[in-house]
Amino acid sequence: MIKFTACLLFALCLSAADDWRDQGVIYLDHSPHAAMHPVPIRSVKLGAGFWQERRRVNVERSIPTMLELLEAHGIVDNFRRLSGRKDAPRKGPLYTDSDLYKWMEAVAFVLQSGDVPKLRATLDAIIDDIRAAQEPSGYLNTNYVGDKVPLRFTEMYRSHELYCLGHLLQAGIAYYRATGDRKLLDIGIRFVDYLTANFGPEKRPLLTGHPELEMALVELYRTTGNRAYLNLAGYLLSGVETERLHLKPSQVSYMFSGIPFTSRTIFEGHAVRAMYASSGATDYYLETGDPLYRKTLDSLWADLTNRKMYITGGVGSRSDGEAFGDPYELPNSQAYTESCAAIGNMMWNFRMLAASGESRFADIMERALYNGINSGMSLDGTLYCYRNPLASDGEKIRNEWYDTTCCPPNLERILASLPGYFYSTGKDGLYVNFYHDSELNWQGLKVTQKTNYPWSGDVEFTVTPESTREFTMFLRIPAWSHNSNVELNGSMMPAQPGQYLALRRTWKPGDQFTLRLDMTPHLIAANPRISEDTGKAALQRGPLIYCLEQPDQTARIPDLSLINPTANFANEFRKDLFGGVVVLKHAGAAYDQPSDREPLYETLDQAGRRKMNPVSLTFIPYYAWANREPSAMEVWVPLK
């Protein structure tokens, strides 16, 4: 282990830079424009609590059952047939290779937290199947084979060839960082080398119809040091091939590729594509520092957070094209909010956080993670949401399988990689991005958190360097925590919301302090331009958005209203519900006569005379809805 010395604290020593054990979810130790450097997944152990239970279910149920489904639907056999190991027809849409690659990346992230021999053996066998299917040229795709060979790279607006390659590379990098074994990584590199030899400005044109490869190429550059991979990412982001590929404006809008990334000013088109393209562009900025990229990224972030993002961190309001809508077009029951899009939102903000060190990006990460992402997988780990609406009349929203099964393995890889998001280092010290009962052991420093977050806002820290050192602990104070403080050596230090609080001191082994975040529930109003939310409020406690779900109410949800919004909410920890959650209760009212028995239209005076009866409203965390039975639900509740 590298010692905790002045050369390390905290700009990491170059002698460690190429050790696969030191590389995080993204590896930024040599990135010249990174303000923060994520620590490796293996350096953070989550203790009992909120996320560790989800991660346990992910390893024990989600990942195994997803492989069973991938096998049952022929996705793995698609590779075996190419090598002659299985006589089976190709099954599934043309992009199914990526679903297996995401599953493989999830397993690799699990292995970065600790060896699971059975899981590793399973993954190794699948890697062998994939390696046997690769063509001598390096090309690898199970759809564009046989009579489809002439179509290779001729329909890139829809082919997903490069999208699948991107996920292959990310799986290979994650497996290399878990084991030091390059066998999966080298499969991806052979394909990329095939591209660099045959495509480019003076060769055949190339397009990512579904952006993803861009961020994978930058990460491949960080892993190998081969600048050709960074240059290829820059070429794809430059969008210089619009004319040679005869792209239509509607295509480049929908794909969020095909024109210079730096020419974009708003989010439009397919939400997942847009999030992945922005992630890749941020990666490219972290390596090049191109100011036009930074200006574009800042403009897009403002467009998203001020006009097009749901309170859950979900993005993409239209089912037509899985796309962004117009500014403030944020319907609730019709919200598309694909799980992959919320994951893309978190991934992009993780990179923006690394580029800036500003807590506003971590706030968005947390919002998406605890709500729009966490809702995507059932608590038993076997059912998944493709959509994550903010209101429902009780349709079946969770399923074990989708023909387009991008979301389930994507959710699995986020949960598997989660420890890698908790801490970052910078030139002055250690940044704490997220809170959870946990232990960090990294470069001679141990930091423990004792907390029941997100149910409690108290976080007890113990800091233990190998020897006495002066450095800064940066604690993220979430924007939702209006009254926060740190108790250190008997004194109380107030902390401002929406920033990192800097604790600079000479730390000695065993130093302790307590962070106290404000977990007071509060109601949130939407911008008046969001017409569906006029006269309504949403409820937040800590990082969690809450909702009404039908099983907890005494009247039907469409007939309910919240009254006296200035009154306090009652907090109740329910150990018997959803594995243990805090539910919130508040005074409400319900129509004496159900609203579906009322006239379709009536005068305002007549409507004002409708009788309402007092009821108690019970709110549950949004992520937990639809875990009992299909039920009506709403996040935005009418105010009376």
Side-chain angles (χ1 to χ4, degrees):
M1 172 179 284
I2 295 175
K3 299 301 181 182
F4 193 69
T5 63
C7 93
L8 167 72
L9 197 59
F10 266 88
L12 298 178
C13 297
L14 295 182
S15 61
D18 296 324
D19 190 335
W20 51 269
R21 297 174 186 84
D22 295 334
Q23 300 178 13
V25 176
I26 55 176
Y27 181 54
L28 302 179
D29 288 359
H30 295 313
S31 302
H33 300 280
M36 297 167 62
H37 307 260
V39 304
I41 291 171
R42 58 175 47 83
S43 67
V44 180
K45 304 297 182 186
L46 300 188
F50 190 87
W51 287 117
Q52 190 57 12
E53 176 60 18
R54 294 292 263 160
R55 282 165 45 78
R56 181 192 65 79
V57 170
N58 189 42
V59 173
E60 295 179 3
R61 301 200 66 186
S62 306
I63 288 174
T65 57
M66 182 49 52
L67 179 59
E68 291 173 2
L69 289 166
L70 290 167
E71 290 278 14
H73 287 83
I75 308 308
V76 190
D77 283 347
N78 287 342
F79 291 90
R80 297 177 181 133
R81 68 184 286 268
L82 297 183
S83 61
R85 297 183 175 189
K86 193 75 172 284
D87 182 14
R90 191 189 187 283
K91 294 183 179 179
L94 54 81
Y95 38 74
T96 55
D97 294 2
S98 65
D99 300 331
L100 179 61
Y101 295 151
K102 275 182 279 190
W103 180 90
M104 296 169 73
E105 187 182 2
V107 174
F109 281 138
V110 168
L111 298 177
Q112 288 184 38
S113 285
D115 194 24
V116 183
K118 183 178 180 181
L119 202 53
R120 178 171 178 175
T122 300
L123 180 56
D124 284 344
I126 294 174
I127 293 172
D128 290 341
D129 285 328
I130 291 171
R131 181 164 50 187
Q134 188 168 31
E135 297 179 9
S137 68
Y139 185 87
L140 176 61
N141 186 283
T142 68
N143 184 67
Y144 288 91
V145 297
D147 60 0
K148 293 184 179 179
V149 169
L151 294 176
R152 290 180 182 178
F153 300 110
T154 65
E155 47 184 17
M156 290 180 282
Y157 65 94
R158 65 174 293 272
S159 68
H160 287 70
E161 288 161 281
L162 300 187
Y163 173 78
C164 292
L165 171 58
H167 282 299
L168 169 61
L169 288 172
Q170 289 176 322
I173 291 168
Y175 184 73
Y176 169 68
R177 291 175 181 172
T179 65
D181 191 328
R182 290 177 56 105
K183 60 185 177 182
L184 182 57
L185 177 60
D186 286 339
I187 295 171
I189 288 176
R190 284 195 290 274
F191 196 168
V192 176
D193 290 344
Y194 165 84
L195 294 180
T196 58
N198 293 281
F199 296 86
E202 306 301 325
K203 305 168 187 175
R204 294 179 60 188
L206 201 62
L207 169 77
T208 50
H210 191 311
E212 212 286 336
L213 180 60
E214 296 87 343
M215 58 176 154
L217 285 170
V218 178
E219 202 62 37
L220 184 62
Y221 160 70
R222 293 166 179 159
T223 306
T224 65
N226 188 336
R227 196 168 184 88
Y229 305 144
L230 179 64
N231 293 340
L232 181 56
Y235 162 71
L236 293 170
L237 289 163
S238 71
V240 297
E241 302 290 11
T242 305
E243 292 186 8
R244 279 214 289 170
L245 292 169
H246 307 292
L247 298 175
K248 301 175 183 177
S250 60
Q251 288 178 313
V252 299
S253 296
Y254 175 73
M255 297 183 302
F256 217 76
S257 65
I259 60 172
F261 182 86
T262 54
S263 70
R264 296 194 179 272
T265 57
I266 62 169
F267 276 121
E268 59 186 348
H270 191 272
V272 178
R273 286 168 163 87
M275 291 294 100
Y276 285 3
S278 300
S279 296
T282 310
D283 279 323
Y284 188 72
Y285 166 78
L286 286 164
E287 303 307 320
T288 66
D290 188 324
L292 289 178
Y293 274 84
R294 184 56 191 264
K295 180 181 178 182
T296 303
L297 291 164
D298 287 340
S299 296
L300 291 173
W301 194 85
D303 182 53
L304 181 73
T305 58
N306 292 331
R307 291 178 284 274
K308 294 174 181 172
M309 185 180 74
Y310 282 92
I311 195 172
T312 58
V315 295
S317 54
R318 294 180 179 174
S319 60
D320 184 14
E322 301 178 329
F324 286 101
D326 294 328
Y328 309 106
E329 182 188 335
L330 296 168
N332 293 318
S333 62
Q334 298 303 313
Y336 201 72
T337 49
E338 182 184 340
S339 293
C340 285
I343 290 170
N345 192 15
M346 178 179 168
M347 291 166 60
W348 178 38
N349 276 277
F350 185 45
R351 288 156 171 80
M352 293 293 283
L353 173 66
S356 67
E358 296 176 16
S359 65
R360 59 189 172 125
F361 300 110
D363 282 347
I364 299 297
M365 289 172 60
E366 184 180 61
R367 181 175 295 279
L369 175 64
Y370 275 86
N371 301 288
I373 295 172
N374 198 22
S375 61
M377 181 189 290
S378 65
L379 296 177
D380 71 0
T382 63
L383 301 174
Y384 305 88
C385 292
Y386 198 100
R387 295 177 56 238
N388 295 270
L390 279 74
S392 171
D393 61 4
E395 76 271 24
K396 187 175 186 294
I397 196 71
R398 299 189 186 277
N399 297 282
E400 66 174 7
W401 178 260
Y402 298 87
D403 288 338
T404 298
T405 191
C406 53
C407 295
N410 215 358
L411 291 159
E412 291 162 9
R413 69 173 178 155
I414 282 292
L415 288 173
S417 63
L418 197 55
Y421 294 91
F422 272 73
Y423 291 91
S424 301
T425 62
K427 64 183 179 65
D428 295 319
L430 181 72
Y431 288 79
V432 186
N433 303 321
F434 291 159
Y435 301 106
H436 194 281
D437 199 88
S438 60
E439 180 176 283
L440 166 72
N441 277 286
W442 174 234
Q443 304 289 2
L445 173 66
K446 183 167 81 170
V447 176
T448 61
Q449 296 184 34
K450 295 297 182 184
T451 180
N452 195 29
Y453 191 88
W455 311 123
S456 168
D458 291 354
V459 189
E460 298 177 1
F461 283 88
T462 302
V463 182
T464 307
E466 283 186 343
S467 60
T468 300
R469 292 286 169 202
E470 182 182 3
F471 62 92
T472 304
M473 288 277 291
F474 294 93
L475 309 178
R476 184 177 67 89
I477 309 302
W480 50 257
S481 182
H482 300 153
N483 295 289
S484 310
N485 60 70
V486 170
E487 184 178 348
L488 177 62
N489 292 336
S491 61
M492 204 75 72
M493 180 187 307
Q496 296 301 312
Q499 64 182 29
Y500 281 93
L501 173 68
L503 298 179
R504 185 163 189 86
R505 56 176 281 137
T506 300
W507 300 92
K508 59 183 184 299
D511 277 351
Q512 296 182 323
F513 65 89
T514 300
L515 169 66
R516 292 189 174 88
L517 299 174
D518 182 3
M519 305 299 284
T520 303
H522 55 272
L523 292 170
I524 298 173
N527 185 293
R529 295 193 179 194
I530 306 176
S531 58
E532 278 208 17
D533 300 336
T534 300
K536 299 179 180 180
L539 177 60
Q540 181 169 353
R541 180 184 186 272
L544 297 173
I545 300 300
Y546 277 68
C547 68
L548 297 178
E549 192 178 24
Q550 193 59 66
D552 307 304
Q553 316 309 323
T554 57
R556 292 188 300 179
I557 281 181
D559 299 328
L560 295 175
S561 299
L562 189 146
I563 62 174
N564 194 14
T566 59
N568 292 332
F569 284 78
N571 294 250
E572 179 185 349
F573 186 78
R574 289 277 304 276
K575 187 177 181 179
D576 62 321
L577 189 63
F578 306 127
V581 297
V582 170
V583 300
L584 302 174
K585 295 189 176 184
H586 197 278
Y591 288 119
D592 183 55
Q593 177 168 283
S595 54
D596 60 0
R597 299 181 188 173
E598 296 286 348
L600 187 58
Y601 302 105
E602 57 187 347
T603 66
L604 194 60
D605 287 343
Q606 290 172 322
R609 289 195 293 270
R610 291 179 187 165
K611 184 179 179 182
M612 301 196 77
N613 299 319
V615 295
S616 177
L617 303 180
T618 299
F619 293 80
I620 65 168
Y622 168 78
Y623 75 83
W625 83 281
N627 272 280
R628 291 173 283 194
E629 68 269 346
S631 302
M633 176 276 297
E634 68 180 8
V635 169
W636 291 95
V637 182
L639 296 173
K640 275 291 183 181

